[in-house]
Amino acid sequence: MLKPEILDPQGQAVQRALPRLGFQGISDVRQGKRFELEVDGPVDDTALARIHELAESFLANTVIEDFTVKVEEVKAEAGK
């Protein structure tokens, strides 16, 4: 996500369009990006540290963006 002090023209455009589209009560919109990584094997502290390093050094522009790393369990699809 863009840091709060960075202007977000895309978020502002969406916010201005919402009332015209019938959506009321939204006071702010910020746009962002999301990466989903599938990891082979368990996500232990070492793997999580490497993923955080990857996000900080490659996926996010930390001058203007903040980022979070979350681990979500993926349930196996039926039949697999």
Side-chain angles (χ1 to χ4, degrees), residues 2 6 14-15 17 26 33 49 52 56 60 63 72 75 78 80:
L2 291 171
I6 303 298
V14 169
Q15 182 180 354
I26 306 298
K33 62 185 175 184
H52 192 276
E56 185 172 37
V63 173
E72 296 179 3
K75 295 181 181 179
K80 285 191 172 182

Side-chain angles (χ1 to χ4, degrees), residues 7 13 20-22 25 31-32 40 51 56-57 61 70 80:
L7 294 177
R20 292 191 308 269
L21 298 171
Q31 71 86 29
D40 294 332
I51 293 166
E56 185 172 37
S57 64
N61 177 350
K70 294 192 298 186
K80 285 191 172 182

Side-chain angles (χ1 to χ4, degrees), residues 31-80:
Q31 71 86 29
K33 62 185 175 184
R34 174 177 159 164
F35 294 95
E36 292 185 2
L37 307 174
E38 289 189 25
V39 178
D40 294 332
V43 180
D44 57 15
D45 289 341
T46 302
L48 195 54
R50 292 287 295 154
I51 293 166
H52 192 276
E53 179 184 355
L54 166 71
E56 185 172 37
S57 64
F58 183 67
L59 300 178
N61 177 350
T62 56
V63 173
I64 62 170
E65 296 173 323
D66 289 324
F67 70 92
T68 58
V69 175
K70 294 192 298 186
V71 177
E72 296 179 3
E73 294 293 324
V74 177
K75 295 181 181 179
E77 292 180 29
K80 285 191 172 182

